[in-house]
Amino acid sequence: MAERVRLAFLGIDNPHGFSWRELLRQFPDEIEITALVPGFGGATASLEESLADLPRFDTVDELIANGAFDAAVVCLPNDAGPAAVARLAEAGKHVLAEKPAAACADTFRPAAERLGEAEVAFQSGYMWRYDECADRLREMVADGRFGKLISTEITFVTSDVRRRGPDHYLFDPNVSGAGFFNWLGCHQLDLIFYILQQPIVGVTARVGVFGGTDCQVEDGGTIVLDLADGSLVTFVGGYWLPRWAGESRWCIRGTERWVHWDPVRKGTAGVLDIHGPMPQWFAMEETFETTAEPCPGYGGHLGRAVIRDWLDAMARPGSVCRNTPGSTQATLELLDAVYRSSREERRVECDIRI
């Protein structure tokens, strides 16, 4: 058996921390967690007893100086994560950064530069890049099967602020920097780059608190994006459902076909309802349904693919994961443009690309 990757885990009580560790445990022959940096003021409420005796370090510098590890999963909050990623890269450690990795593009840029200089494998928590339906849509776009793209409509709505409580760190601007779009909407913004493969040249947005619970960051809003090919993207989303739940939908429309993507349809791993032209009497209609073997841990089969890609990149120096420092940086730049547009109440011209 090949020697296992020794892994440090930073940010024990991140909302996804336990699930990330459960996911990592699905690779017992390849990964061993050997060190912890609790973060979050030293909180260990979600720490498993099987890891309770591992060496703990208060800071990243202490970890680098005294820890025995090859790679790190960074699940620290936005105010601490970027500096940790930069230091780990400087030390030659492979890094997986929980999304969004930072509050804004400027704070992540030094980390992206250090990652670019270091010969380390970088991965981030944007798991939907590993979804089969997302891959199919990306291939359709690249193959020209939509014809001329006209519009993409995205809806992503999840549990309201009351579920965690407005005092949660995710809603503290001094820690997180922003709200729904930074923490959750970022998944969809990242997928826009991945699926549509176009630079974004204009952003018009209105974000704010629209639900029934006051908080210091936005609980959602609406975004309109102009792509370089002339098509539009509209994205409506927020923390707006009065229970633990989520809804997610895409519709891509072109001159030659349109496709509805339901990524969370019950009993499937996602479904594409494909509607094509009617050159004679019969229209092209197809339902493409995906399945996946269940996998414990964060993201299930998508999370497994994220870790697999990261491990493969470690084993092949110079190779890259589907998520890169550049793609993570581009998503943060888009988030910056969204918040700027809403703040200044105008369309923001830009040229954001990967």
Side-chain angles (χ1 to χ4, degrees):
M1 183 181 71
E3 194 170 310
R4 290 187 291 179
V5 172
R6 300 171 300 170
L7 188 75
F9 196 96
L10 288 68
I12 290 173
D13 278 355
N14 179 284
H16 298 153
F18 176 80
S19 293
W20 270 115
R21 296 190 296 276
E22 187 174 24
L23 179 65
L24 294 166
R25 283 192 288 274
Q26 307 312 307
F27 298 82
D29 295 335
E30 299 175 83
I31 295 173
E32 177 188 11
I33 300 177
T34 59
L36 303 171
V37 177
F40 298 96
T44 57
S46 67
L47 181 63
E48 306 91 310
E49 282 305 303
S50 60
L51 303 178
D53 292 332
L54 289 180
R56 299 184 199 177
F57 303 93
D58 292 330
T59 68
V60 177
D61 286 337
E62 290 178 10
L63 169 69
I64 292 170
N66 302 301
F69 71 109
D70 312 298
V73 174
V74 179
C75 289
L76 297 172
N78 284 345
D79 62 340
V85 171
R87 283 290 294 115
L88 290 163
E90 289 171 349
K93 308 298 183 180
H94 306 293
V95 177
L96 188 158
E98 167 68 304
K99 55 79 200 166
C104 65
D106 281 347
T107 57
F108 187 72
R109 188 166 288 108
E113 292 172 354
R114 299 296 87 74
L115 288 163
E117 295 162 359
E119 293 184 1
V120 298
F122 173 78
Q123 178 65 289
S124 77
Y126 288 119
M127 297 186 173
W128 286 100
R129 283 179 174 244
Y130 294 85
D131 180 82
E132 184 177 356
C133 286
D135 283 342
R136 295 276 176 170
L137 290 170
R138 176 181 167 89
E139 291 165 6
M140 287 183 206
V141 171
D143 197 37
R145 278 174 266 170
F146 283 97
K148 181 183 184 296
L149 285 178
I150 300 170
S151 74
T152 299
E153 301 153 19
I154 304 169
T155 302
F156 184 34
V157 184
T158 188
S159 308
D160 64 23
V161 172
R162 289 179 296 172
R163 297 315 102 190
R164 298 189 191 277
D167 294 331
H168 194 279
Y169 87 90
L170 287 176
F171 311 127
D172 183 344
N174 295 317
V175 177
S176 297
F180 170 81
F181 287 105
N182 176 273
W183 174 248
L184 278 181
C186 58
H187 280 293
Q188 311 297 326
L189 298 177
D190 175 73
L191 269 183
I192 291 167
F193 290 111
Y194 182 70
I195 293 175
L196 301 179
Q197 305 165 70
Q198 286 288 314
I200 296 169
V201 298
V203 179
T204 307
R206 183 185 176 202
V207 307
V209 178
F210 300 96
T213 303
D214 287 337
C215 62
Q216 298 182 69
V217 294
E218 91 279 356
D219 69 7
T222 299
I223 300 169
V224 179
L225 304 177
D226 301 303
L227 303 192
D229 64 358
S231 66
L232 290 173
V233 177
T234 58
F235 176 15
V236 177
Y239 295 124
W240 294 335
L241 300 181
R243 66 182 187 189
W244 291 111
E247 296 179 354
S248 181
R249 291 184 296 275
W250 277 56
C251 177
I252 303 179
R253 303 181 190 276
T255 56
E256 301 303 323
R257 70 166 53 181
W258 69 102
V259 179
H260 293 88
W261 175 26
D262 183 349
V264 292
R265 188 174 300 180
K266 189 175 181 179
T268 76
V271 176
L272 299 175
D273 292 315
I274 305 167
H275 311 279
M278 187 164 57
Q280 300 297 327
W281 295 106
F282 297 101
M284 181 275 192
E285 300 285 344
E286 180 184 7
T287 297
F288 183 85
E289 184 174 301
T290 64
T291 60
E293 292 294 323
C295 176
Y298 184 47
H301 69 286
L302 300 181
R304 179 173 54 200
V306 165
I307 300 299
R308 178 76 272 150
D309 197 17
W310 191 37
L311 288 170
D312 290 347
M314 291 185 207
R316 298 194 302 268
S319 62
V320 297
C321 298
R322 289 192 183 184
N323 295 298
T324 67
S327 69
T328 304
Q329 182 74 16
T331 299
L332 288 166
E333 290 174 5
L334 178 52
L335 282 162
D336 287 351
V338 165
Y339 293 124
R340 180 183 172 192
S341 171
S342 182
R343 184 173 61 251
E344 297 180 1
E345 299 182 342
R346 67 179 184 89
R347 178 182 181 273
V348 170
E349 294 185 358
C350 55
D351 183 5
I352 305 171
R353 62 182 69 212
I354 295 175

